[in-house]
Amino acid sequence: MSLSEWMNWLQQHVALSLTAVLVLVTFLALYGVTSWRTRTGLRSRLEHLEKSLKLYAAASAPLLNDNTYGTITPDQENELIDRLLACHAAPYASSDLLGQIGAYKEDHDHARLPLLLRTLERESERFLEERDKLLKWLEQPGWGIRFWLGLQPAFPFLFAAALFILVYQLLLRWTGADVSFLGSNSLDTVYFYSRFGSALFALLLLYPALMGGFRPGEGSILLRLWAIFIAAMYLLHFISPVIAPYIAAAQVLLFLCGFLFTRSKPRKARPFVGHYQTSLPSDPTISALPSEENIATSLAENTDSIINNNKDR
């Protein structure tokens, strides 16, 4: 097709040409903004991890000193408490660590320090693994990650197009321009709105599952797969419009079951202090700390000696 023929076609189809240009501009705008926001979110998570690691390292430094578990001066203890309290400003500080810091601040029990050091080291290792993964995604992405980062920004445009189609069908139904879609009786109306609600619910679940944007945690992969499965149930509507209410009800029930995956563990299932004592490093300063059995034995020996001294007198 020559340039003159192409110009004549555009002049004959002005409305279609303007629509195509508008769609293309919208796609490019959404794609660019989404790509920028995705990379900005990854860099923001990277900064939060680095800030948490710096605060954890500053708090761990005094605990690595052998003298910390022995004689500690008031100035050293105040400095240690200041560094531990600074961990409250860590963006990714866990409730377990903050609880241990609060307990040590209240009673100043040096027997808590080995467990506190172990918690800091364990969380720092987890942050380092997450930081290395983010750096690889940003600077040296693999073939699969590169493809996903290039495909993901196109999802907002596809979801916007799907939402536009749903709203367009709803307007046709209200204006009566498309009565042949399912019919006009009350039962067909129930089928139509059930299918419309199921499609809208599937889009609301599928969008965050594909776009992500949240920091991955325990069970996050399972929740995303569960959301994709519930959204994929919309495809069952193409079998028959009669089963539309049952599909919509099943989606809602499965969504409510998803709350079971996000419930916090009961207190009995959480680890307590004794669980970590077996995994502490073999440090002579740690092994020299008084245990409950040693304290009970020393108290019994002191009591016996006092009784014997009284008898001798």
Side-chain angles (χ1 to χ4, degrees), residues 25 36 51 67-68 86 110 136 177 179 223 228 247 250 252 254 259 273 275-276 285:
V25 171
W36 175 79
K51 182 178 180 180
N67 296 328
T68 303
H110 294 174
K136 186 177 181 180
V179 181
L223 290 176
I228 293 173
I247 297 174
V252 173
L254 291 176
F259 287 100
V273 176
H275 284 180
Y276 299 108
T285 58

Side-chain angles (χ1 to χ4, degrees), residues 276-288:
Y276 299 108
Q277 291 179 352
T278 57
S279 61
L280 289 175
S282 56
D283 192 344
T285 58
I286 297 177
S287 60

Side-chain angles (χ1 to χ4, degrees), residues 31 49 52 82 89 94 155-156 161 174 179 186-187 200 246 265 281 291:
Y31 187 91
L49 288 171
S52 300
D82 290 340
S94 65
F155 290 150
W174 286 350
V179 181
S186 59
L187 191 58
L200 186 61
Y246 304 101
K265 293 183 180 180
S291 61

Side-chain angles (χ1 to χ4, degrees), residues 128-147:
L128 285 173
E129 293 178 359
E130 187 175 352
R131 187 194 65 176
D132 293 341
K133 182 186 294 184
L134 288 178
L135 285 175
K136 186 177 181 180
W137 280 24
L138 289 171
E139 298 180 357
Q140 294 178 342
W143 178 253
I145 298 299
R146 192 187 300 272
F147 174 76

Side-chain angles (χ1 to χ4, degrees), residues 13-288:
H13 304 83
V14 177
L16 182 60
S17 302
L18 293 177
T19 303
V21 171
L22 181 61
V23 169
L24 180 60
V25 171
T26 304
F27 172 77
L28 293 177
L30 289 176
Y31 187 91
V33 171
T34 305
S35 179
W36 175 79
R37 290 188 61 183
T38 300
R39 294 187 176 276
T40 302
L42 294 177
R43 293 190 180 94
S44 177
R45 280 174 52 191
L46 187 61
E47 293 176 357
H48 290 167
L49 288 171
E50 290 178 349
K51 182 178 180 180
S52 300
L53 285 171
K54 289 180 180 179
L55 293 173
Y56 278 24
S60 301
L63 296 176
L64 295 174
N65 188 4
D66 295 339
N67 296 328
T68 303
Y69 304 104
T71 304
I72 182 172
T73 63
D75 293 337
Q76 292 175 345
E77 187 170 12
N78 291 333
E79 182 183 0
L80 175 61
I81 292 177
D82 290 340
R83 294 191 179 189
L84 291 175
L85 291 178
C87 292
H88 285 270
Y92 294 149
S94 65
S95 58
D96 183 20
L97 175 64
L98 297 180
Q100 294 182 36
I101 293 174
Y104 176 73
K105 176 189 173 184
E106 294 295 332
D107 54 20
H108 296 268
D109 186 6
H110 294 174
R112 298 181 183 273
L113 296 181
L115 177 62
L116 192 56
L117 175 61
R118 184 59 180 171
T119 304
L120 286 169
E121 291 177 344
R122 183 177 64 251
E123 295 191 6
S124 296
E125 292 175 358
R126 188 172 69 250
F127 292 163
L128 285 173
E129 293 178 359
E130 187 175 352
R131 187 194 65 176
D132 293 341
K133 182 186 294 184
L134 288 178
L135 285 175
K136 186 177 181 180
W137 280 24
L138 289 171
E139 298 180 357
Q140 294 178 342
W143 178 253
I145 298 299
R146 192 187 300 272
F147 174 76
W148 176 253
L149 293 178
L151 179 64
Q152 192 180 34
F155 290 150
F157 177 80
L158 298 178
F159 278 92
L163 184 61
F164 175 80
I165 294 174
L166 287 177
V167 174
Y168 180 72
Q169 291 180 352
L170 183 63
L171 293 177
L172 290 180
R173 182 78 182 190
W174 286 350
T175 57
D178 192 11
V179 181
S180 61
F181 183 73
L182 281 176
S184 58
N185 55 55
S186 59
L187 191 58
D188 291 335
T189 303
V190 172
Y191 295 156
F192 173 81
Y193 284 108
S194 298
R195 183 174 180 178
F196 177 82
S198 176
L200 186 61
F201 189 63
L203 291 177
L204 293 177
L205 286 178
L206 192 59
Y207 185 81
L210 294 179
M211 294 301 298
F214 301 101
R215 183 168 177 250
E218 184 179 359
S220 59
I221 297 179
L222 179 60
L223 290 176
R224 295 178 72 174
L225 293 177
W226 190 252
I228 293 173
F229 172 74
I230 297 175
M233 291 185 65
Y234 173 77
L235 300 176
L236 298 176
H237 287 284
F238 294 98
I239 298 177
S240 175
V242 179
I243 61 176
Y246 304 101
I247 297 174
Q251 285 178 311
V252 173
L253 291 177
L254 291 176
F255 172 76
L256 296 177
C257 292
F259 287 100
L260 299 176
F261 301 135
T262 58
R263 290 191 307 177
S264 59
K265 293 183 180 180
R267 186 65 187 91
K268 296 181 179 180
R270 299 177 189 173
F272 53 88
V273 176
H275 284 180
Y276 299 108
Q277 291 179 352
T278 57
S279 61
L280 289 175
S282 56
D283 192 344
T285 58
I286 297 177
S287 60

